[in-house]
Amino acid sequence: MPALMLAACSPAPASDVSAGGLDPDTINQLPASKPMLVEAYAKLSPHQTGELRIPKGRGPFPVAMLVHGGCWIAGLGSPRNMAPLATWLAAHGVASWNVDYRELGDGGGYPQSFEDWAAAAQHLRALAKRYPLDLARLSVIGHSAGATAGLFLAQPPTGSAQGPHPRAIVQMDGLVPQDYLIGADAAMCGRPVIERFMGGLPAAVPARYHAISPEASTPRVARALFVVAVLPPPPDATTAAMRKAGASVEVVAPPKPNHFDVIAPGTANFAAIEPALLRAVGGR
């Protein structure tokens, strides 16, 4: 299992984007547009905010909710990691709601992080009253640990029960707390995190894991894209369950294994997934 020591990678030069091999610090140096709005979606934590970017034109536009990774540990990831992707989406006709949320170390974990994802999705209804957002074309793009949010929001009857339901989910090299990753999470994140984040192991709190398991409670989405770089691909049972429920499912792999290139426009790895990403989110 490749180690993803998220805070201890050797930065690649910021100018060497096309060569790939990026890490979180280098991602944060990539160009990104200024959001047209930064707004709180709840009031319990300063992390309960999101950045809104809107394409040029009249709209209404498809909208992607972006959820950053970082092993659910405070300080390892942030919306800045996703800002270059949000900028790229706007250039391709897709609005974005790039959200932060509570994580381990700043009040997060189960259920707080899940509540934040749901509240952020629900806040899109308020934003759609002021901005040209087509919530019928909502996608959730989660990178690494942020991929958990997409599976949660797409599940019935949990997730965004009070908010818009995502039409598509995009798992960008997703680290999802499923049974087969327990034990491997220490190598990926530098410490065990899944049991702490979920508040127990599956045997102790099975309902919590079922709420983000496509096999136990199949997500209701029209499209699902799994981008597989260095983390394990989704089990065949996962993709089979989603296809049986009517979803169009794609699994794509970039040419070189790198966990961060897949959210970095300008890299060869990102170029390889662009067509599938645009199909999933409804961009041009």
Side-chain angles (χ1 to χ4, degrees):
M1 177 71 63
L4 298 181
M5 303 301 289
L6 300 187
C9 300
S10 299
S15 60
D16 195 21
V17 173
S18 63
L22 304 185
D23 65 23
D25 291 337
T26 311
I27 292 284
N28 290 346
Q29 297 173 34
L30 298 180
S33 62
K34 183 178 179 180
M36 68 178 305
L37 175 73
V38 178
E39 184 165 290
Y41 59 79
K43 299 180 180 179
L44 296 177
S45 166
H47 291 281
Q48 294 172 315
T49 61
E51 302 174 349
L52 182 68
R53 289 175 173 85
I54 303 287
K56 294 180 180 179
R58 296 183 60 183
F61 302 103
V63 56
M65 177 171 152
L66 307 184
V67 186
H68 68 80
C71 286
W72 313 287
I73 297 172
L76 288 191
S78 76
R80 183 61 180 89
N81 299 157
M82 304 294 275
L85 175 58
T87 302
W88 181 88
L89 287 169
H92 289 80
V94 181
S96 64
W97 176 230
N98 182 15
V99 305
D100 203 1
Y101 55 96
R102 290 172 289 177
E103 298 173 275
L104 297 174
D106 60 21
Y110 187 93
Q112 293 89 342
S113 299
F114 293 80
E115 292 170 348
D116 287 357
W117 298 330
Q122 291 164 18
H123 194 69
L124 282 166
R125 291 201 185 280
L127 293 175
K129 294 178 180 179
R130 291 177 277 154
Y131 299 96
L133 306 178
D134 182 358
L135 300 186
R137 292 186 288 167
L138 170 64
S139 58
V140 180
I141 303 176
H143 175 242
S144 192
T148 309
L151 288 174
F152 172 68
L153 292 172
Q155 296 284 3
T158 58
S160 55
Q162 304 301 318
H165 192 85
R167 179 181 177 275
I169 56 173
V170 179
Q171 310 288 89
M172 303 290 264
D173 214 25
L175 173 61
V176 177
Q178 306 287 21
D179 295 7
Y180 63 90
L181 287 177
I182 293 172
D185 54 343
M188 296 175 184
C189 298
R191 69 201 83 169
V193 292
I194 292 177
E195 180 179 3
R196 185 181 169 203
F197 180 71
M198 296 298 292
L201 294 173
V205 288
R208 298 179 185 181
Y209 288 84
H210 286 178
I212 50 172
S213 168
E215 299 92 67
S217 181
T218 306
R220 295 178 300 163
V221 291
R223 301 192 71 99
L225 171 62
F226 294 88
V227 177
V228 179
V230 298
L231 289 175
D236 290 343
T238 295
T239 54
M242 297 181 74
R243 289 189 174 109
K244 185 176 180 180
S248 172
V249 180
E250 286 190 77
V251 180
V252 299
K256 295 182 179 180
N258 183 273
H259 187 58
F260 299 98
D261 287 9
V262 296
I263 57 168
T267 65
N269 280 341
F270 186 85
I273 68 170
E274 281 184 15
L277 181 57
L278 290 174
R279 284 193 295 271
V281 302
R284 58 176 182 263

